[in-house]
Amino acid sequence: MPVKPTCGPQGDSTDDLMKVILAIWGIVGTIGSVAGFIAGAGAVVTILGITASGLIWLSAAGAALALVITVLAFYWDRCLGSPDGKDACTAGVINEIVKSFSSTSEQIFWFTAQHPRIDVVVKSEYWDEVVQLALFVKCANDSERSPILQGFYHSDQVCAVGLGSLIGAVVGGVLGILAGVAIAAAIGCAASGPFYILCLIVAILVAAIVAAVITLIGAGVGGGIAGGIAGTDEPPSDDSGNVLHEGDYVSTFGKLITYGELLGARVYWFVDRTVLHGRSSGSPQFSYTDPDTNLLEPACPPRVVIE
């Protein structure tokens, strides 16, 4: 029997999508810090000729743009990026099925929705696929801590919502900038006096917050409209159209990648084919000994064993 992989981190894992988002908000924070510094310096016409009005416009535009780019980053990750993957086939028992829009965050921020996924406790002969290039190994919570391969199924609804959210964020961003600047201007900071600097800083923050909120609202409206037009996807199914359930024995074909959003675990992006082989009499959390014993003829090509 192959050596069972060690569960958990295999090295320094990274989430590329989160890196992009943190970088975006780091830039926004820098803009805010610079704006606050300039405002705190007490000059109406300041460094590079930026006026108090210009700072308000800059803060509103920066907040709106950061959110638009964040929505774009999620859409790119889910639907536009084409990561290189390894063609593979593995087999095992489905330990869990995770639907799209199933988490609280996905129901609030629709643009973050992920494609539906099955988590398969694989037969021990496929453990090499679990660990090859992996930065993290996910395991079931059974007594054996059995290794899992996760497989994503492409969702047209997720991509439609992502695109709709992006369009809505752009429209909302434009409206948000205008509204943020208008509301900040209505605060009416006098050009002199002991509270001018404090008033200006408040106006800058108000402009940014209003722009960000309206941008998010636009993303939500756009995503909702697009999702309604696209309709609900069918749940993951096998090649014959049979809906998959926890406890099903399956063989899955597709491209394996190392996916940063799941801590660098090896996943199918996406599952191209699924062959159903019946159902286990057990229940999650499954041990690898179940498919090792009961799934004797997977649809995968025979593996070459090197002595």
Side-chain angles (χ1 to χ4, degrees), residues 53-256:
S53 175
L55 291 175
I56 292 173
W57 276 96
L58 181 62
S59 64
L65 181 61
L67 281 170
V68 169
I69 296 176
T70 298
V71 175
L72 173 61
F74 275 100
Y75 179 53
W76 183 275
D77 176 76
R78 308 299 194 240
C79 303
L80 299 182
S82 300
D84 292 331
K86 171 192 173 184
D87 289 319
C89 175
T90 54
V93 59
I94 298 177
N95 194 64
E96 183 181 8
I97 296 179
V98 181
K99 300 178 181 178
S100 300
F101 306 98
S102 58
S103 69
T104 301
S105 61
E106 290 179 344
Q107 292 172 2
I108 297 174
F109 304 109
W110 292 359
F111 60 86
T112 66
Q114 183 57 277
H115 298 278
R117 185 185 87 228
I118 63 171
D119 292 359
V120 177
V121 171
V122 294
K123 290 168 60 75
S124 58
E125 64 182 284
Y126 301 106
W127 283 346
D128 60 322
E129 301 289 15
V130 177
V131 298
Q132 188 176 41
L133 301 178
L135 299 175
F136 183 87
V137 171
K138 181 175 181 178
C139 294
N141 290 324
D142 66 306
S143 60
E144 303 286 344
R145 299 290 290 155
S146 300
I148 283 176
L149 263 181
Q150 301 164 93
F152 288 94
Y153 288 73
H154 186 275
S155 165
D156 291 337
Q157 185 188 26
V158 165
C159 289
V161 168
L163 179 58
S165 297
L166 178 59
I167 295 171
V170 172
V171 174
V174 173
L175 297 176
I177 292 170
L178 297 175
V181 170
I183 293 174
I187 295 175
C189 297
S192 61
F195 297 107
Y196 169 65
I197 301 303
L198 177 60
C199 181
L200 181 55
I201 293 174
V202 170
I204 290 171
L205 291 175
V206 167
I209 292 171
V210 170
V213 169
I214 295 179
T215 303
L216 276 177
I217 292 173
V221 172
I225 293 173
I229 294 173
T232 304
D233 288 323
E234 295 296 325
S237 59
D238 72 350
D239 292 355
S240 300
N242 299 302
V243 175
L244 301 177
H245 301 89
E246 293 177 358
D248 286 343
Y249 294 120
V250 291
S251 295
T252 49
F253 299 76
K255 289 188 178 295
L256 286 176

Side-chain angles (χ1 to χ4, degrees), residues 232-290:
T232 304
D233 288 323
E234 295 296 325
S237 59
D238 72 350
D239 292 355
S240 300
N242 299 302
V243 175
L244 301 177
H245 301 89
E246 293 177 358
D248 286 343
Y249 294 120
V250 291
S251 295
T252 49
F253 299 76
K255 289 188 178 295
L256 286 176
I257 67 168
T258 301
Y259 193 36
E261 193 171 331
L262 293 181
L263 304 177
R266 294 291 281 175
V267 306
Y268 281 105
W269 193 270
F270 294 95
V271 175
D272 297 324
R273 289 185 54 211
T274 308
V275 179
L276 184 62
H277 300 288
R279 185 169 178 79
S280 171
S281 59
S283 60
Q285 300 289 320
F286 288 100
S287 167
Y288 72 88
T289 58
D290 184 329

